[in-house]
Amino acid sequence: MRRAGLLAVGLIVLAASPTYPQSRMRSGQGPVKEIVVTARRLVRLEQWIKATEHHRPGEADDPATLIGSWPNDQLQELWADVSTLLLTMRDPRSNRSSFVVRLMGRRPVSQFYPPREIRRLRELGCAAGGNLDHPACVELRVGASLDTDLVKLAARVVADRFRGDDNHVVRRGALLHTDIATLNLAKAATSPVSQAQFMYPERVRVEIADGQGLDVGLMGIHWDIAEEILDHVQPPGTSRVNPAGDPMVLQWYRTTSRWMQLHADYDIRHLERGRQLFPNDPDLLFLAGCQHETDASPGIQSSMRAAVIPPGFSIDIGSSHGELRRAEGFFRDVIARVPWHGEARLRLGRVLGLLDRHADAVEQLTTSIEQLTDRPLQYYAQLFLGAAQEALRKYDEAREAYERASGLYPDAQSPHLALSQLARRRGDRAAALRAIERLFALPSDAFDRDDPIWTYHAAQARTGDDDLEALRKPFITEERP
Amino acid sequence: MSRGARLTGALMLAAAAAPLAAQSQFSVRVESVRVDVLVADGGRPVLGLRADDFEILDNGVPQQTDLVSFDEVPLNVILVLDISNSVAGERLEQLQDAGRAVLTGLRKEDQAALVTFSHVVSLGAALSKDLAAVRSALGAAYGFGETSLIDATYTAMMVGEADAGRALLIAFSDGVDTQSWLRADAVLDAAKRSDAVAYGAAIEARESSSFLRDLTSLTGGTTYKVESTRDLRQTFLKILEEFRHRYLVSYTPRGVSKDGWHRIDVRVKNRRVTVKARPGYLAGTS
């Protein structure tokens, strides 16, 4: 259903600004504060480990619902503890009790684990790392301190390692948080901004609808946790952490970025993080261009003007012109790498038209029409070509392009509006009226009036849901404990 | 403003409601220009003016006023109403109530039409004296989707142009345009060629469309800001009353070029009054 993809409702994620008032933080270059980790945090960490194992990807089951119900302060602590767990997991011999965590560009935080807590962290690390037989873990007598679930988990980790992939908890952990975010299980998303802790990273989301910023609130940081976890991936067949060398991490960034654009759940920072890992990936470059193109749209621009952004947060959305220029850069980059990328040319052509560079737009759009086979994409290209030709006062060529668009989607209203306005502009009132008559003859119900232009902003992400299913699939087929 | 495609005066009175297609047979090339003019003194309309009371300059060239009518030419009122998602619920009910109030205020010779818009632009009811049909279409509207104010305004202008009557567009939108295909400048260009007068109503506290302000200014109307949709009924009735108090002045341009932008100055001789009219019209192709 096309209406589902309209930009009527969307979310824009804001990052805590690095310019957050220093009075909230201790001065100096060192860690802001030493945080003493409590036993309760370790209990939640254990719950999380078990949730990663018991959760069935794609399902709003109890493990995902439990983790999703945690408020932001607990998620932030979890984020830091997962980070230390993954370090411990990879190095069972380590007897460190203090860890400096640097999450998402924030100032470093020093986490101190008292003796009982560091022992528990190491025990959990032995299970999550599948290292129960490691001398350091044997010395800890983990066999006596771990329950059946954790022992079974360790066995599965070992089995995966034998298959060449030593990322069992890492991948499943990332999928757990992906599901919490995509299945809308994050209850913390409604927290008021005044509850922000600012010790750890925060995310604010702006709910937008029909060009207005409706609500601003803290959101669950599940995407950030998933990203952080995936930073610990060791590509199969290697023994070094290197997420940029892992195909699943690339697939994850492509898929989640596409899913976000499909569902108008915009987070430019997420895409940027993906591009930091995979700077030459045409898919991520293309999606980045699409995001900036969307950010230039009247709906996003007016929402941002209307939204009241809390102090300490920033949004990286520039003026419409600036966003179009950024989009142009990305699309040109994609085309330079993949000259047959018709969809990038289509979007570049539209962007150039909006930047009043109509002759360049015509060139790109004409080439894209030769390259594209998808009917909606052909429709967009004809419509945009018509607009560019009209701007160049090539009225006959414009009319022909609009008519071709109308031929592709007879029930779409935009070509009729375009043809009528063009005729009116040429002084042909009768033709203008005839075109409007055709618009009035279209089905009046929105569900029946099929104009792909209404979902243009999501067309690039049309496979987002299927891609997410494909991402989950290898983990669904596993036999569960 | 429609040079070259309008009959004037008594023939306009004879124009009946008809489907758009039937109206597309305008072939009579009468080079006349019509201007709706509001004359006020201290905020109150000045009544009783005659053709020779008006002085009209077209691109600075004085023109002979052919005809002035006041409250004689029936109205073609086109309601252009935003029914996007943000208007759904109580706001929509208040908007519908305001629309009904306008219909109740019309006379039996007047016509009305309803254009509703979200991202979908629909002719809820064609221009007709059958106000019950318009009322029914108004009641059937439901809120959904995004906002295509620019597309809808263009469509409403075309509804107005399909009939020789005196077109008044009453447009309401509670926010900015997020989905129109047509560009604002293109539709403003079309407005410069049309003799419809557009009035607008927008919500005070919300980000509003500069397009609506530009459109109403170009056509000689006004955009009223309202605090909430509760005030729409009063605002719509005010618009209707103001429009009824406007003079319809026409002239046949002489001594000016055919094409391009024509600046119009309308004055009332020997009176210190406020005159509100469209600032000009566009002729020829662009």
Side-chain angles (χ1 to χ4, degrees):
Chain A
M1 183 176 69
R2 291 203 172 275
R3 268 177 59 179
L6 277 171
L7 193 52
V9 178
L11 301 169
I12 296 176
V13 178
L14 311 184
S17 164
T19 60
Y20 189 76
Q22 294 297 302
S23 58
R24 288 271 188 121
M25 302 174 175
R26 213 180 266 179
S27 61
Q29 297 301 310
V32 175
K33 188 178 179 181
E34 186 175 79
I35 293 172
V36 179
V37 176
T38 62
R40 190 173 298 176
R41 283 176 58 164
L42 271 299
V43 170
R44 284 200 294 270
L45 181 62
E46 183 174 340
Q47 287 178 313
W48 177 84
I49 295 169
K50 290 176 178 173
T52 65
E53 192 62 6
H54 289 290
H55 170 58
R56 289 190 63 83
E59 292 184 15
D61 52 17
D62 289 345
T65 304
L66 170 70
I67 307 300
S69 72
W70 291 356
N72 256 18
D73 57 341
Q74 291 181 9
L75 286 175
Q76 289 165 339
E77 290 170 350
L78 173 72
W79 186 350
D81 290 332
V82 167
S83 185
T84 55
L85 172 80
L86 297 176
L87 293 172
T88 308
M89 182 185 90
R90 298 282 190 209
D91 185 9
R93 283 169 300 194
S94 170
N95 57 4
R96 294 165 57 190
S97 58
S98 187
F99 297 82
V100 174
V101 291
R102 296 170 183 269
L103 302 174
M104 297 297 297
R106 301 289 293 182
R107 285 188 152 207
V109 175
S110 174
Q111 300 211 117
F112 175 73
Y113 291 77
R116 283 178 60 181
E117 281 70 35
I118 191 62
R119 180 184 177 87
R120 189 58 181 161
L121 177 70
R122 291 182 64 196
E123 289 168 355
L124 294 174
C126 289
N131 292 316
L132 301 190
D133 296 335
H134 191 284
C137 297
V138 171
E139 193 180 318
L140 280 173
R141 298 181 182 177
V142 290
S145 60
L146 298 178
D147 64 20
T148 313
D149 272 358
L150 291 172
V151 171
K152 283 184 177 176
L153 163 68
R156 290 176 185 281
V157 174
V158 171
D160 272 7
R161 187 182 298 142
F162 276 131
R163 285 194 287 267
D165 188 21
D166 194 7
N167 299 288
H168 185 90
V169 170
V170 173
R171 297 197 199 281
R172 295 193 62 83
L175 274 179
L176 170 69
H177 289 281
T178 304
D179 279 350
I180 293 170
T182 56
L183 299 173
N184 201 23
L185 300 174
K187 298 291 188 290
T190 54
S191 306
V193 175
S194 59
Q195 289 181 6
Q197 301 291 309
F198 288 108
M199 186 61 66
Y200 296 113
E202 297 277 9
R203 296 283 172 225
V204 158
R205 72 175 192 176
V206 181
E207 189 179 342
I208 61 171
D210 196 21
Q212 306 285 341
L214 294 184
D215 196 15
V216 178
L218 287 179
M219 64 178 283
I221 48 177
H222 296 283
W223 286 118
D224 302 82
I225 297 176
E227 291 166 5
E228 183 72 24
I229 293 169
L230 288 176
D231 276 354
H232 293 264
V233 165
Q234 289 181 357
T238 71
S239 56
R240 193 171 64 86
V241 169
N242 178 24
D246 187 75
M248 182 262 189
V249 177
L250 174 58
Q251 184 191 8
W252 186 82
Y253 274 104
R254 285 172 171 172
T255 298
T256 52
S257 298
R258 219 173 269 139
W259 183 91
M260 287 178 180
Q261 293 188 4
L262 180 64
H263 295 277
D265 196 345
Y266 302 121
D267 186 354
I268 190 73
R269 179 207 49 79
H270 180 77
L271 252 173
E272 283 173 0
R273 184 153 176 168
R275 286 194 302 106
Q276 282 168 7
L277 288 174
F278 306 100
N280 300 316
D281 181 63
D283 281 5
L284 292 176
L285 290 168
F286 175 63
L287 291 170
C290 294
Q291 185 61 59
H292 288 296
E293 187 187 6
T294 300
D295 288 345
S297 67
I300 298 288
Q301 290 280 316
S302 68
S303 296
M304 289 300 94
R305 283 194 298 272
V308 179
I309 307 296
F313 287 84
S314 64
I315 183 158
D316 187 23
I317 294 181
S319 66
S320 181
H321 183 85
E323 290 300 323
L324 290 172
R325 291 298 304 272
R326 289 161 89 174
E328 179 193 354
F330 281 110
F331 292 140
R332 286 199 186 280
D333 199 350
V334 174
I335 292 166
R337 294 165 195 274
V338 189
W340 56 91
H341 203 305
E343 201 168 349
R345 278 192 200 280
L346 159 71
R347 288 181 176 268
L348 176 60
R350 176 178 181 265
V351 164
L352 291 170
L354 292 173
L355 289 168
D356 289 331
R357 287 150 59 189
H358 302 292
D360 290 345
V362 167
E363 187 183 334
Q364 295 295 341
L365 289 164
T366 304
T367 308
S368 81
I369 288 167
E370 293 164 6
Q371 294 175 329
L372 294 168
T373 53
D374 214 35
R375 196 161 70 109
L377 301 182
Q378 280 275 349
Y379 169 81
Y380 298 139
Q382 296 290 358
L383 212 46
F384 302 151
L385 179 63
Q389 298 281 28
E390 186 180 340
L392 293 170
R393 296 174 182 249
K394 294 183 175 175
Y395 296 141
D396 287 336
E397 289 89 337
R399 180 179 47 74
E400 287 164 11
Y402 290 143
E403 283 174 349
R404 285 193 294 270
S406 187
L408 286 163
Y409 282 89
D411 284 345
Q413 72 178 26
S414 298
H416 298 305
L417 283 163
L419 285 164
S420 176
Q421 187 271 138
L422 177 64
R424 188 71 186 87
R425 183 177 187 172
R426 302 178 80 176
D428 188 348
R429 185 196 302 265
L433 290 170
R434 281 197 301 275
I436 281 295
E437 279 277 14
R438 286 195 288 273
L439 185 149
F440 291 152
L442 296 177
S444 60
D445 194 301
F447 291 101
D448 298 327
R449 197 182 288 189
D450 185 17
D451 194 339
I453 201 70
W454 295 332
T455 48
Y456 172 75
H457 68 278
Q460 75 285 0
R462 56 197 175 278
T463 61
D465 286 337
D466 293 340
D467 293 347
L468 189 55
E469 283 305 306
L471 180 74
R472 290 167 175 152
K473 196 172 178 182
F475 300 89
I476 295 172
T477 53
E478 285 181 7
E479 184 193 344
R480 302 305 335 129
Chain B
M1 197 48 45
S2 63
R3 280 170 56 123
R6 287 292 185 190
L7 300 174
T8 56
L11 284 177
M12 280 194 297
L13 288 169
L20 284 182
Q23 294 297 321
S24 60
Q25 57 189 359
F26 288 108
S27 57
V28 182
R29 293 278 168 185
V30 180
E31 298 279 329
S32 71
V33 174
R34 302 192 319 186
V35 191
D36 261 287
V37 182
L38 179 68
V39 183
D41 186 357
R44 284 183 299 188
V46 175
L47 312 179
L49 298 177
R50 301 185 323 179
D52 55 4
D53 290 321
F54 287 93
E55 181 183 5
I56 297 183
L57 286 83
D58 187 319
N59 274 344
V61 179
Q63 302 293 322
Q64 173 71 46
T65 307
D66 298 329
L67 178 82
V68 168
S69 67
F70 180 85
D71 205 16
E72 293 159 13
V73 182
L75 306 187
N76 285 342
V77 176
I78 302 146
L79 296 169
V80 194
L81 304 183
D82 180 348
I83 58 164
S84 64
N85 203 40
S86 53
V87 183
E90 190 185 16
R91 288 175 177 171
L92 179 59
E93 288 170 17
Q94 289 161 343
L95 177 60
Q96 288 167 321
D97 181 53
R100 285 187 203 101
V102 169
L103 297 176
T104 303
L106 296 184
R107 298 171 184 165
K108 64 178 183 182
E109 62 272 23
D110 293 333
Q111 299 190 96
L114 173 67
V115 173
T116 58
F117 63 98
S118 53
H119 54 283
V120 178
V121 178
S122 291
L123 180 65
L127 197 60
S128 157
K129 288 181 184 169
D130 181 4
L131 302 186
V134 184
R135 203 171 273 116
S136 170
L138 190 60
Y142 59 94
F144 70 97
E146 293 202 64
T147 303
S148 294
L149 171 66
I150 297 170
D151 286 352
T153 306
Y154 173 79
T155 304
M157 278 195 297
M158 296 311 296
V159 171
E161 289 201 11
D163 189 280
R166 188 178 176 198
L168 164 65
L169 270 59
I170 302 179
F172 165 75
S173 180
D174 75 332
V176 294
D177 195 309
T178 54
Q179 266 292 349
S180 281
W181 166 255
L182 297 178
R183 288 173 69 137
D185 54 355
V187 177
L188 292 175
D189 246 30
K192 291 174 190 169
R193 299 170 188 281
S194 166
D195 52 11
V197 177
Y199 278 79
I203 302 291
E204 180 85 56
R206 305 195 83 170
E207 172 103 359
S208 65
S209 165
S210 60
F211 167 77
L212 195 55
R213 287 192 299 276
D214 294 343
L215 176 80
T216 55
S217 170
L218 266 177
T219 58
T222 303
T223 297
Y224 290 105
K225 287 277 191 175
V226 295
E227 268 191 37
S228 82
T229 43
R230 279 192 299 276
D231 304 328
L232 282 176
R233 180 189 174 91
Q234 189 186 350
T235 304
F236 278 20
L237 288 174
K238 181 179 169 182
I239 290 169
L240 184 62
E241 186 187 1
E242 183 174 313
F243 195 69
R244 283 214 187 277
H245 286 143
R246 294 177 81 123
Y247 293 88
L248 184 61
V249 179
S250 74
Y251 67 96
T252 304
R254 290 186 178 88
V256 290
S257 66
K258 268 190 166 183
D259 292 345
W261 173 250
H262 291 241
R263 185 170 54 82
I264 301 177
D265 293 301
V266 182
R267 298 168 190 164
V268 176
K269 297 172 189 168
N270 307 318
R271 300 282 288 265
R272 296 184 66 182
V273 291
T274 308
V275 177
K276 188 161 123 186
R278 63 190 315 129
Y281 66 95
L282 195 59
T285 58
S286 62

